[in-house]
Amino acid sequence: MTTRHFPDGFAFGAATSAYQIEGACDEDGRGRTAWDLRNHDEQGHPTGPVGDVACDHYHRYQEDIALMKQLGLQTYRFSISWVRIFPDGVGRLNAKGVAFYDALVDGLLQAGIRPAVTVWHGDLPLALDRAGGWENRATITAYLAYAQFLFDHYGDRVKTWYTHNEPWCAAYLNDYPLPRQLSIAHHLLVAHAEAVRLYRQSKNGDGKIGIVLNLARQYPASADPADVAAARNVDGFLNRWFLDPVLKGRYPADMVERYQGFGAAAPILAGDMEALMANPSDFLGINVYSRGVQKADPDNAFLGSKDAPDPRSVYTEMGWEVAPESLYDLLMDLEATYGTEIQITENGAAFQDAVMQDGVVRDDDRLAYYKGHLSSVERAIRHGCKVTAYYAWSLFDNFEWGTYEMKFGIVHVDPVTLKRTVKKSGMYYRGVIAARGIEE
Ligand code: NOJ
């Protein structure tokens, strides 16, 4: 067996997001998001899975920091709830919400854990949502005022910032027609560029800022040129539509043409692309879970593709193929095409598991997932990729946007008692961090 070491300076962490773990939705002046209305009756009582309590992190953050320390985490990626800071999205500031994140940031620093903050992770203030959300350019203005406050207030202590989490999901996981989806995507990208500008101009702008994209390496099902074209189209739709504007200041020409063929175009105003070009990020954050395999499909008019899953593969509870090699390939492609610093801001897997009578959660499938992916990261670094951080998704079993059945945690959270139990995968990760390497 060989121990493969990660370079000095490489940071190991775990990630969460506000609505998925905090709970305390009605406390200390927090405003409303659209998520607060889902699965609730008119009296506000839950009718299905909701984030009202989630992991109760809002009340247990001190215990949770102690747990992170026990795991040896060097950094913790979390998001700030916009409506705890500005309950109406804009205007009135909520001092109690501000104080909560002060206590969290200070507690992390005291424990020797570097805070890394996502400005927006899917929980848009209800007031902005009702006014059109990210389709409305006014949301950019509101977001920038919120981001500016965060940079000014927390930026003396927080030195890693992520503007948005997964703009592809925000833009496309809905039933809207393409032009509306492109408008959401474009406004998110412009807001990102303008936030980078604000950060650099802010008094605390000596840290690093980037965006978090969900990427999946696409493979053709065969060497047939039609399959190769199908994989390239999905890559354009999912990956390059966001990578190119952020890292090259332009949309990919093949996809612009494809969208035009369907009567859709990004609503670009004068100055938008210039803002993207003029405000490069310090790094690229990537959330990676799986890969795609594409076959040509003439019935799919837009992308000409269909998924061709490999029946021999292992799939997680989400139905996502376990494909650690694809993370290596993706990293090598990103290095070749963009050459930028990369942080793996999320990587992990949902599998069913339970605390056994001896108190142990034997999540060997999740452990194997981490081992395979960490090995790909280490190998990509050895082969020239500038990967500087890795965050396990997720620290906790949490609210997976509509369900508690999808368990991504390296720490089990009992749904009734909320007791935290480090899983076998968490113990494994602790060992990797302590050794700063993996056994192969
Ligand atoms: C991506 C998202 O950022 C996070 O919110 C979600 O829980 C995980 N992936 C798993 O689906």
Side-chain angles (χ1 to χ4, degrees):
M1 264 215 253
T2 331
T3 307
R4 297 281 191 190
H5 286 106
F6 286 79
D8 291 346
F10 184 89
F12 293 97
T16 63
S17 91
Y19 189 69
Q20 295 182 266
I21 65 160
E22 285 181 359
C25 282
D26 255 340
E27 278 178 56
D28 290 344
R30 179 184 175 280
R32 288 260 170 271
T33 73
W35 283 100
D36 298 302
L37 305 186
R38 290 197 196 192
N39 284 344
H40 284 91
D41 64 18
E42 281 175 12
Q43 283 73 48
H45 299 127
T47 56
V50 293
D52 294 15
V53 176
C55 303
D56 197 31
H57 170 73
Y58 190 78
H59 297 121
R60 296 170 193 238
Y61 72 94
Q62 283 162 319
E63 175 196 338
D64 292 341
I65 293 171
L67 190 60
M68 291 182 224
K69 192 171 177 180
Q70 198 188 314
L71 287 167
L73 300 188
Q74 298 174 282
T75 173
Y76 171 52
R77 172 179 177 242
F78 62 96
S79 75
I80 290 184
S81 160
W82 187 335
V83 289
R84 286 199 198 278
I85 307 293
F86 293 107
D88 310 311
V90 286
R92 188 170 56 88
L93 185 70
N94 177 35
K96 286 189 174 167
V98 177
F100 170 69
Y101 294 107
D102 274 327
L104 178 60
V105 166
D106 292 344
L108 287 164
L109 288 170
Q110 266 158 29
I113 301 163
R114 288 199 297 278
V117 171
T118 312
V119 176
W120 181 65
H121 194 125
D123 47 357
L124 201 63
L126 188 60
L128 300 179
D129 209 63
R130 291 206 162 138
W134 286 107
E135 278 186 84
N136 182 350
R137 274 189 88 103
T139 297
I140 302 179
T141 314
Y143 168 83
L144 293 175
Y146 161 56
Q148 176 83 65
F149 175 81
L150 299 191
F151 300 153
D152 288 346
H153 187 83
Y154 301 106
D156 55 339
R157 293 155 287 162
V158 174
K159 296 297 175 190
T160 301
W161 292 93
Y162 311 104
T163 53
H164 303 306
N165 183 70
E166 302 197 343
W168 183 90
C169 292
Y172 294 103
L173 295 184
N174 52 49
D175 302 327
Y176 301 162
L178 281 179
R180 290 183 66 185
Q181 295 178 329
L182 280 190
S183 152
I184 295 171
H186 182 67
H187 294 154
L188 282 161
L189 288 166
V190 173
H192 157 75
E194 294 295 351
V196 171
R197 186 201 307 275
L198 284 184
Y199 181 64
R200 299 225 195 288
Q201 289 166 355
S202 83
K203 60 177 188 213
N204 295 316
D206 58 340
K208 289 190 170 188
I209 187 162
I211 194 169
V212 171
L213 303 180
N214 53 299
L215 303 182
R217 172 74 150 74
Q218 300 300 314
Y219 297 82
S222 77
D224 184 329
D227 290 351
V228 173
R232 177 155 176 80
N233 292 345
V234 177
D235 178 54
F237 174 63
L238 179 71
N239 302 327
R240 289 181 289 117
W241 190 256
F242 294 88
L243 284 165
D244 281 7
V246 168
L247 296 164
K248 294 183 172 173
R250 57 170 192 265
Y251 283 112
D254 61 319
M255 288 306 296
V256 170
E257 207 179 303
R258 185 164 295 276
Y259 276 120
Q260 263 165 7
F262 285 81
I268 303 173
L269 296 191
D272 286 358
M273 300 318 285
E274 290 75 6
L276 280 154
M277 186 68 109
N279 297 289
S281 305
D282 295 301
F283 63 85
L284 172 70
I286 62 174
N287 292 353
V288 182
Y289 288 89
S290 190
R291 68 167 184 167
V293 182
Q294 306 301 334
K295 213 177 159 28
D297 178 9
D299 293 336
N300 175 349
F302 177 42
L303 296 173
S305 65
K306 69 172 172 218
D307 285 333
D310 186 338
R312 293 159 304 181
S313 290
V314 175
Y315 291 83
T316 70
E317 285 290 309
M318 297 290 281
W320 298 345
E321 184 184 0
V322 177
E325 274 298 310
S326 71
L327 178 55
Y328 173 79
D329 291 346
L330 176 70
L331 289 170
M332 295 308 286
D333 282 359
L334 290 172
E335 170 61 24
T337 313
Y338 304 100
T340 188
E341 177 185 330
I342 292 174
Q343 296 190 13
I344 297 170
T345 37
E346 290 182 26
N347 179 236
F351 288 111
Q352 288 299 341
D353 43 38
V355 185
M356 296 302 172
Q357 275 186 341
D358 58 2
V360 179
V361 184
R362 288 190 185 76
D363 57 338
D364 292 292
D365 32 20
R366 190 176 291 100
L367 189 158
Y369 182 98
Y370 278 115
K371 193 170 184 183
H373 286 78
L374 283 163
S375 163
S376 286
V377 175
E378 188 281 326
R379 193 152 47 93
I381 294 173
R382 217 175 337 123
H383 295 168
C385 286
K386 297 182 278 295
V387 188
T388 56
Y390 175 93
Y391 292 86
W393 183 275
S394 181
L395 181 59
F396 298 124
D397 291 342
N398 61 39
F399 182 64
E400 176 58 21
W401 304 115
T403 177
Y404 284 95
E405 296 306 312
M406 295 296 147
K407 299 187 186 303
F408 278 93
I410 56 172
V411 175
H412 175 271
V413 178
D414 185 280
V416 179
T417 64
L418 301 170
K419 179 171 181 281
R420 280 82 163 125
T421 306
V422 178
K423 299 180 191 176
K424 198 171 162 186
S425 60
M427 301 303 276
Y428 168 75
Y429 192 43
R430 187 176 79 159
V432 171
I433 301 172
R436 298 200 55 78
I438 42 169
E439 300 277 342
E440 276 187 346

